[in-house]
């Protein structure tokens, strides 16, 4: 019998900002296939027949997100969390279904691009311009962004000299310098020390309280519980549970046979 999906009850007073209807994401990938030997292979040597395989990453997921919600997205590795969020952000096309958004979602991931040959300061300027700030506005915010990321001593050095943690902190600081209508954070809090995590989580709560909507994709149940007021659990591409953070994370921990994910 198929597992029942628990959903947050709709509230007509709240404003829906993201609606996902029967979303399917399918990737086509090349597989090497099986080996062919003997007379079946040209020249009598073994070879491999290349074939195209389909990976059904997201399977008919539907939900509605409301203004001011902070939504945790959890699930095992390879469960389809990031594929779903890339579809919400408009970066991955849907094979079936639809995504409707009140404003364009902004995706912040640990792989977000910064230019390695340019200094941290120049990347702040370019990142701010890309988000819609004027040059004067982002220059005024540059010192605060640098301090938030904790890279004051390195801000004039090329990004290629930064550690992965420093780069990720800077990406978060740039994105968090603006209040987004819809912000998607994919594992951005998995880097940095406890102090930076606490600052990041506090900033996310500020954005949520200012009527923005935040998605957090994370394996850290502590970050999810400290930050989110709703959790969606995706498993093997299927929406398995949607609701109260403690209820959903407890069910997920029971599913994986562990009490912690950190």
């Amino acid at each position: 019998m198929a597992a029942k999906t628990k959903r947050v009850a709709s509230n007509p007073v709240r404003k829906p900002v993201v609606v996902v209807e029967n979303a399917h994401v399918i990737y086509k990938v090349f597989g090497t296939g099986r080996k062919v030997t003997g007379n079946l292979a040209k020249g009598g040597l073994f070879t491999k027949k290349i074939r195209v395989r389909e990976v059904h990453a997201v399977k008919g997921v539907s939900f509605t997100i409301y203004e001011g919600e902070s939504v945790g997205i959890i699930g095992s590795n390879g469960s389809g969390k990031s594929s779903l969020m890339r579809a919400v952000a408009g970066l991955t096309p849907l094979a079936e279904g639809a995504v409707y958004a009140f404003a364009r979602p902004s995706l912040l991931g640990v792989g977000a691009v910064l230019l390695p040959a340019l200094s941290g300061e120049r990347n702040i300027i370019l990142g701010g311009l890309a988000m819609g700030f004027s040059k004067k506005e982002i220059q005024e915010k540059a010192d605060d962004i640098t301090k938030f990321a904790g890279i004051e001593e390195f801000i004039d050095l090329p990004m290629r000299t930064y550690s992965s943690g420093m780069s990720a902190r800077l990406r978060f600081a740039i994105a968090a310098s603006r209040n987004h209508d819809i912000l998607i954070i994919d594992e951005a809090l998995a880097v940095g020390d406890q102090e930076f995590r606490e600052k990041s989580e506090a900033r996310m709560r500020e954005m949520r309280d200012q009527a923005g909507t935040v998605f957090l994709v994370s394996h850290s149940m502590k970050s999810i519980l400290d930050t989110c007021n709703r959790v969606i659990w995706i498993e093997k591409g299927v929406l398995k549970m949607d609701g109260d953070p403690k209820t959903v994370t407890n069910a997920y921990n029971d599913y994986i046979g562990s009490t912690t994910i950190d």
Side-chain angles (χ1 to χ4, degrees):
M1 180 180 294
K4 293 183 178 179
T5 298
K6 296 182 180 180
R7 300 187 181 281
V8 174
S10 297
N11 184 336
V13 176
R14 295 185 297 171
K15 175 182 176 181
V17 294
V18 176
V19 178
V20 177
E21 292 185 353
N22 191 36
H24 291 259
V25 175
I26 299 175
Y27 298 110
K28 291 186 178 181
V29 297
F30 288 102
T32 56
R34 61 185 179 84
K35 291 182 178 179
V36 180
T37 59
N39 293 332
L40 295 178
K42 291 182 179 180
L45 300 175
F46 73 84
T47 186
K48 286 187 177 182
K49 184 178 180 181
I50 297 176
R51 62 194 179 94
V52 176
R53 295 183 57 188
E54 288 190 347
V55 177
H56 203 159
V58 178
K59 305 172 183 176
V61 171
S62 299
F63 54 78
T64 299
I65 306 300
Y66 297 90
E67 185 177 62
E69 286 191 312
S70 182
V71 184
I73 308 294
I74 64 173
S76 306
N77 287 331
S79 62
K81 305 183 300 296
S82 294
S83 293
L84 175 61
M85 290 297 97
R86 286 182 62 83
V88 170
L91 300 175
T92 296
L94 293 176
E96 184 179 338
V99 173
Y100 305 97
F102 168 74
R104 183 175 181 83
S106 300
L107 174 62
L108 169 64
V110 293
V113 176
L114 293 176
L115 300 179
L118 299 184
S119 68
E121 184 178 19
R122 294 301 299 165
N123 273 287
I124 289 174
I125 300 299
L126 292 176
L129 293 174
M131 291 193 301
F133 285 120
S134 68
K135 187 173 182 179
K136 180 180 178 181
E137 287 172 334
I138 192 60
Q139 285 175 333
E140 291 174 349
K141 291 177 175 289
D143 286 345
D144 289 339
I145 292 172
T146 302
K147 291 177 182 177
F148 191 101
I151 58 170
E152 295 95 327
E153 297 179 19
F154 308 94
I155 193 63
D156 59 338
L157 297 179
M159 287 291 304
R160 63 172 175 267
T161 66
Y162 289 19
S163 69
S164 59
M166 291 166 61
S167 298
R169 294 200 306 271
L170 181 57
R171 280 190 288 269
F172 182 91
I174 293 171
S177 66
R178 186 182 188 92
N179 290 326
H180 300 263
D181 292 317
I182 305 168
L183 178 63
I184 302 170
I185 302 175
D186 193 345
E187 295 290 7
L189 300 186
V191 297
D193 55 20
Q194 184 62 30
E195 181 182 1
F196 181 75
R197 290 192 185 197
E198 290 175 356
K199 287 196 302 183
S200 302
E201 291 167 0
R203 176 58 184 140
M204 286 177 60
R205 288 191 290 271
E206 285 179 10
M207 289 188 286
R208 179 194 67 199
D209 294 342
Q210 292 166 357
T213 298
V214 178
F215 292 89
L216 172 61
V217 181
S218 180
H219 286 285
S220 170
M221 296 300 104
K222 185 179 186 304
S223 292
I224 293 288
L225 290 171
D226 288 347
T227 308
C228 302
N229 54 25
R230 177 178 171 185
V231 173
I232 290 175
W233 172 15
I234 304 293
E235 198 64 45
K236 296 180 180 178
V238 176
L239 195 158
K240 196 169 181 70
M241 201 169 181
D242 176 357
D244 170 71
K246 187 171 292 187
T247 301
V248 178
T249 55
N250 284 343
Y252 176 63
N253 285 332
D254 289 342
Y255 174 81
I256 64 171
S258 174
T259 57
T260 60
I261 306 299
D262 287 324

